[in-house]
Amino acid sequence: MATKSNATRTEVERLRERPNARVLVIGGGINGLGTFRDLALQGVDVILVERNDFVSGASAASSHMIHGGVRYLENGEFRLVKESVTERNGLLKIAPHYVKPLQTTIPIFSTFSGILAAPLRFLTHKQGKPKERGAFLIKTGLTIYDSFSRDGGSVPRHQFSGKKKSLETQPELNPGIKYTATYFDASVHDPERLALDVLADGLAAGPHARAANYVEAIGTRDGGVLVRDRETGEEFSIVADVVVNASGPWTDLTNAALGRSTEFMGGTKGSHIVLDNQELLEACKGREMFFENNDGRIVLIYPLKGRVMVGTTDLEADMSERAVCTEDEIDYFIELVSHVFPTIPVTRSQIVYSFSGVRPLPHHDDTAPGFVSRDYRIVPGTIDGLGSTAVLSLVGGKWTTFRALSEHLANETLDALGASRRVSTAGLAIGGGAGFPSTPAAERDWVARYGADVGAERASQLLHRYGTKATYVIDAIAGSDDDTRLAGAPDYSRAEIDYLVRTEHVAHLSDVFLRRTSIAFVGGISGGLVREVGEIVANALGWSPIRRSEEEDAFIAELADAHRVHLESEDGSEAAALR
């Protein structure tokens, strides 16, 4: 059981002391967090609860892209594409510490392929016989796509190259290509950290904004939503005028727990693997390779953090089972890499991490998964056990549009409350994006200003890791007696990890490795590092030796079960046997 020294449980105590608010948001993914931030900035008394860790569900299984969705054009989702491009350009400005321009190249193997099938797909949203899009269709789509960016576009327009120039630029490409098309979208290198900044912005708005992770909505009681603290097992009710169900793929399950049967959701599973393959990394030339495989799926090969991420699948999901990357999916990924870079060997031994999640898509009957709308809608309703409380269920949504979606959902909530908007979040910097240096000279000035106590190299590293909020980390490090670099992860220090644990709602060891840092993503975890960080977390949260041991074992098991990472000790035995 967590102790009261844990800031996460302090938040729960604040909820128990005053278990009422104007609005209760259920779900701590990016859309729930964005809505919480927006409402908090309007001065609304708002509570958010999340049954697991913040941004640990669907939002943690993203393809690390902030994109307009060029392929949505074929679905006729022009409104969504326009909004997505607008939001992409906006995030490049308000979250520049985490959202960066991403050069993207499409390898093209034919000129006119898919022309006859495309109108049928557009009209029926049925997959039909898979066929790769040819140059004509891709050129048409990218031209339309560019047109959505002309109002203050933040990225260059697309370019087409013939076979000769394409192979000169990327000689490892399949020599069977006829063209490449290169355009720009945006990447989000650290989506979980961006989400934590969104949360922090909401909490910083004032004491009227409260949020707690590991608190689950389980029913109704006394006219409110009955919640359970999953760390202690204690239950209490939260009474609100409006309940926002932002549970993502679990929206129907949350409604069912509250007493309302709905069939809004029909998510699909998407998996990714992360490869430590230097040859493949160099072949990408810093570009994401984004293309349609010969089965009709849109897939990507994405250089990221010195590794290469490969994804994604689009399969029907069973919400009763945990989403994990399967052997068949790995075979699929290895085959698709060979389709683009046939001379570069990819093996299972190069996989350092894998992850899988369920997209929060609407119920779609027999519509092919790839053609299910990525747009969102808000469904109002009531629940018997909540009396006059309005319930707004969010259906759909994606990372790129979270700010606009949150504004829309907040507006619906404000209308239900009879309240007015005070401030717009459009153009409002997020977290460490505020004051982030926009030029090399500005960055040098920032590093010179804040690097006195930790050194220029360390200050620059922290700036790119946390944005301008790095100043808080630097203060903590400078005031610490132990800023020793971690033996198992020298890019991080003991004082830095201690700061994250004490200030960022950490409740479990997995929170640190999977969401507060990117150590697991790049394959940087060892049995020794688990123990090293376990000691820091235990000291910060007051864990007993037994609790620490349980946390380390549970995290090692989660790595194996959910991410296919099997740690080994120095003698080669399974990490689970390290003790």
Side-chain angles (χ1 to χ4, degrees), residues 184-378:
F184 278 82
D185 260 324
S187 67
V188 53
H189 287 193
D190 294 281
E192 291 85 358
R193 291 222 54 86
L194 177 56
L196 290 169
D197 267 10
V198 172
L199 169 65
D201 281 357
L203 292 172
H208 61 277
R210 295 169 288 161
N213 52 356
Y214 296 101
V215 174
E216 180 178 12
I218 60 172
T220 60
R221 188 175 71 187
D222 302 329
V225 174
L226 180 64
V227 300
R228 177 184 296 135
D229 180 351
R230 299 186 69 196
E231 297 296 286
T232 66
E234 294 177 309
E235 298 178 359
F236 57 98
S237 293
I238 299 175
V239 177
D241 298 317
V242 179
V243 172
V244 175
N245 181 356
S247 303
W250 299 274
T251 292
D252 291 328
L253 298 181
T254 298
N255 281 337
L258 299 182
R260 181 187 180 194
S261 177
T262 59
E263 293 184 356
F264 298 144
M265 308 306 297
T268 63
K269 187 183 84 163
S271 297
H272 302 75
I273 58 174
V274 181
L275 299 165
D276 185 358
N277 184 319
Q278 190 63 32
E279 188 177 2
L280 182 60
L281 181 66
E282 293 174 358
C284 290
K285 297 292 190 289
R287 309 168 180 220
E288 177 194 47
M289 308 304 296
F290 184 79
F291 61 101
E292 182 181 31
N293 204 14
N294 53 21
D295 63 356
R297 292 182 191 169
I298 302 297
V299 292
L300 54 92
I301 303 171
Y302 185 170
L304 190 64
K305 297 179 179 293
R307 303 289 184 264
V308 181
M309 186 176 72
V310 183
T312 176
T313 49
D314 202 358
L315 306 171
E316 296 292 350
D318 183 348
M319 294 306 299
S320 66
E321 297 180 1
R322 186 177 199 171
V324 297
C325 184
T326 65
E327 291 289 340
D328 287 344
E329 287 174 299
I330 290 175
D331 288 338
Y332 177 79
F333 293 142
I334 291 175
E335 187 279 329
L336 74 85
V337 173
S338 69
H339 178 56
V340 180
F341 297 110
T343 63
I344 299 178
V346 174
T347 65
R348 275 174 162 74
S349 64
Q350 296 166 348
I351 300 174
V352 298
Y353 190 68
S354 73
F355 59 100
S356 186
V358 179
R359 301 174 181 89
L361 303 181
H363 186 76
H364 52 270
D365 295 320
D366 63 345
T367 300
F371 290 93
V372 179
S373 174
R374 267 54 176 177
D375 211 340
Y376 58 87
R377 71 180 192 272
I378 300 162

